[in-house]
Amino acid sequence: MGTPRRLGDPNVDLSRDDECPGSRALKGTLEAEGDANGGICCEIPPSLTFAECTEAGGQRLLDRGDGSLYVAGCEQGSSLIGWLTACDGALCGEGGICCRP
């Protein structure tokens, strides 16, 4: 079955002073003994189908396959509704994000 897919993992080292990537909301900070920078805990947005994104008034932005869209997030002035990870048949591909303009 292989390694489970870690959707939205920015794979970057973030300290407690950084913002959450990908338009995600900050849930809190993480403190660990021996780690002077600490870390952050960010929300995990709901999984949406393409249809659910459209019904919520969202715009679908599809990821290129490198996860960069999960890190970049929505355009400035838009808000994140969820991640396009729940497939509609064969249309899911690499997934993406759903943003409210």
Side-chain angles (χ1 to χ4, degrees), residues 5-91:
R5 201 167 155 198
R6 292 172 44 190
L7 295 171
D9 181 359
N11 201 24
V12 293
D13 188 20
L14 300 170
S15 75
R16 75 173 73 82
D17 299 323
D18 292 316
E19 294 181 15
C20 288
S23 306
R24 295 160 60 187
L26 178 68
K27 301 299 267 184
T29 59
L30 305 170
E31 306 297 329
E33 190 174 322
D35 183 357
N37 293 324
I40 56 176
C41 180
C42 303
E43 76 171 336
I44 298 176
S47 292
L48 303 173
T49 64
F50 288 5
E52 289 169 333
C53 177
T54 302
E55 289 168 9
Q59 174 185 12
R60 299 180 301 204
L61 302 173
L62 302 180
D63 189 67
R64 301 185 304 214
D66 61 0
S68 62
L69 190 58
Y70 291 103
V71 175
C74 300
E75 295 177 359
Q76 190 171 7
S78 296
S79 60
L80 181 66
I81 298 173
W83 286 339
L84 298 170
T85 57
C87 297
D88 291 333
L91 295 177

